[in-house]
Amino acid sequence: MTAIEDSIKVEVKTEYIEEQSDPIEERYLFRYTITIVNLGESAVTLKSRYWSITDANNHNSEVRGQGVVGETPRIEPDSAYQYTSGTVMETPLGVMEGSYTMITDDGVSFKAQIPLFRLAVPGLLH
């Protein structure tokens, strides 16, 4: 990881959405809130995202797209950008990880890693 990649910190909080899930139909909805913190000295713009989502049956899906939630946010130094999104899985347990493609005002492109995080129905794991 280079110094510029180290300047972006990604924090994740997850939530199981019981009222929109249907275990009988193997439909488990999870919400995740991402906070992207710019610890660097220059502003960056989030251009695209990549997700790898794996459920408990080891079924993997990949998602690629421009920006996040319809935006390509510019994040100033010492500030943060937060958004909430969601995913549906066929199992009550899974993991997600990925990366954001960021670009500095100087035109330098780099990947900011999204750490592996777990999606789990409460009470499923101890």
PDB file of all heavy atoms in Angstrom, residues 1 6 17 42-43 61 69 74:
ATOM      1  N   MET A   1       0.839  -1.187   0.000  1.00  0.00           N
ATOM      2  CA  MET A   1       0.000   0.000   0.000  1.00  0.00           C
ATOM      3  C   MET A   1       0.880   1.245   0.000  1.00  0.00           C
ATOM      4  O   MET A   1       1.844   1.316   0.744  1.00  0.00           O
ATOM      5  CB  MET A   1      -0.901  -0.037   1.237  1.00  0.00           C
ATOM      6  CG  MET A   1      -2.110   0.817   1.132  1.00  0.00           C
ATOM      7  SD  MET A   1      -3.181   0.695   2.577  1.00  0.00           S
ATOM      8  CE  MET A   1      -4.265  -0.602   2.054  1.00  0.00           C
ATOM      9  N   ASP A   6      -2.847   5.046   1.981  1.00  0.00           N
ATOM     10  CA  ASP A   6      -2.946   5.080   3.437  1.00  0.00           C
ATOM     11  C   ASP A   6      -3.687   6.320   3.933  1.00  0.00           C
ATOM     12  O   ASP A   6      -4.076   6.382   5.089  1.00  0.00           O
ATOM     13  CB  ASP A   6      -1.554   5.041   4.072  1.00  0.00           C
ATOM     14  CG  ASP A   6      -0.870   3.700   3.885  1.00  0.00           C
ATOM     15  OD1 ASP A   6      -1.576   2.696   3.646  1.00  0.00           O
ATOM     16  OD2 ASP A   6       0.367   3.650   3.974  1.00  0.00           O
ATOM     17  N   ILE A  17     -31.909  -6.011   8.180  1.00  0.00           N
ATOM     18  CA  ILE A  17     -33.227  -5.393   8.041  1.00  0.00           C
ATOM     19  C   ILE A  17     -34.277  -6.507   8.065  1.00  0.00           C
ATOM     20  O   ILE A  17     -34.685  -7.029   7.024  1.00  0.00           O
ATOM     21  CB  ILE A  17     -33.323  -4.562   6.740  1.00  0.00           C
ATOM     22  CG1 ILE A  17     -32.137  -3.614   6.602  1.00  0.00           C
ATOM     23  CG2 ILE A  17     -34.644  -3.804   6.695  1.00  0.00           C
ATOM     24  CD1 ILE A  17     -31.996  -2.618   7.727  1.00  0.00           C
ATOM     25  N   SER A  42      -4.551  16.412   0.442  1.00  0.00           N
ATOM     26  CA  SER A  42      -5.250  16.983  -0.710  1.00  0.00           C
ATOM     27  C   SER A  42      -6.608  16.318  -0.873  1.00  0.00           C
ATOM     28  O   SER A  42      -6.834  15.194  -0.423  1.00  0.00           O
ATOM     29  CB  SER A  42      -4.409  16.833  -1.983  1.00  0.00           C
ATOM     30  OG  SER A  42      -4.206  15.474  -2.277  1.00  0.00           O
ATOM     31  N   ALA A  43      -7.501  17.023  -1.536  1.00  0.00           N
ATOM     32  CA  ALA A  43      -8.848  16.503  -1.776  1.00  0.00           C
ATOM     33  C   ALA A  43      -8.785  15.340  -2.762  1.00  0.00           C
ATOM     34  O   ALA A  43      -7.883  15.258  -3.601  1.00  0.00           O
ATOM     35  CB  ALA A  43      -9.740  17.608  -2.327  1.00  0.00           C
ATOM     36  N   SER A  61     -20.688 -12.754  -5.829  1.00  0.00           N
ATOM     37  CA  SER A  61     -21.123 -11.829  -6.878  1.00  0.00           C
ATOM     38  C   SER A  61     -20.244 -10.591  -6.797  1.00  0.00           C
ATOM     39  O   SER A  61     -19.762 -10.212  -5.723  1.00  0.00           O
ATOM     40  CB  SER A  61     -22.601 -11.473  -6.736  1.00  0.00           C
ATOM     41  OG  SER A  61     -22.845 -10.869  -5.493  1.00  0.00           O
ATOM     42  N   VAL A  69     -24.096   5.495  -4.553  1.00  0.00           N
ATOM     43  CA  VAL A  69     -25.458   6.010  -4.395  1.00  0.00           C
ATOM     44  C   VAL A  69     -25.736   7.213  -5.308  1.00  0.00           C
ATOM     45  O   VAL A  69     -26.299   8.220  -4.886  1.00  0.00           O
ATOM     46  CB  VAL A  69     -25.810   6.324  -2.913  1.00  0.00           C
ATOM     47  CG1 VAL A  69     -25.835   5.049  -2.087  1.00  0.00           C
ATOM     48  CG2 VAL A  69     -24.878   7.350  -2.281  1.00  0.00           C
ATOM     49  N   ARG A  74     -16.521  14.488  -3.695  1.00  0.00           N
ATOM     50  CA  ARG A  74     -15.182  15.049  -3.505  1.00  0.00           C
ATOM     51  C   ARG A  74     -15.008  15.205  -1.998  1.00  0.00           C
ATOM     52  O   ARG A  74     -15.848  15.826  -1.329  1.00  0.00           O
ATOM     53  CB  ARG A  74     -15.072  16.398  -4.200  1.00  0.00           C
ATOM     54  CG  ARG A  74     -13.687  17.007  -4.132  1.00  0.00           C
ATOM     55  CD  ARG A  74     -13.631  18.239  -5.058  1.00  0.00           C
ATOM     56  NE  ARG A  74     -12.287  18.762  -5.167  1.00  0.00           N
ATOM     57  CZ  ARG A  74     -11.762  19.675  -4.341  1.00  0.00           C
ATOM     58  NH1 ARG A  74     -12.490  20.153  -3.340  1.00  0.00           N
ATOM     59  NH2 ARG A  74     -10.530  20.106  -4.522  1.00  0.00           N
TER      60      ARG A  74
END
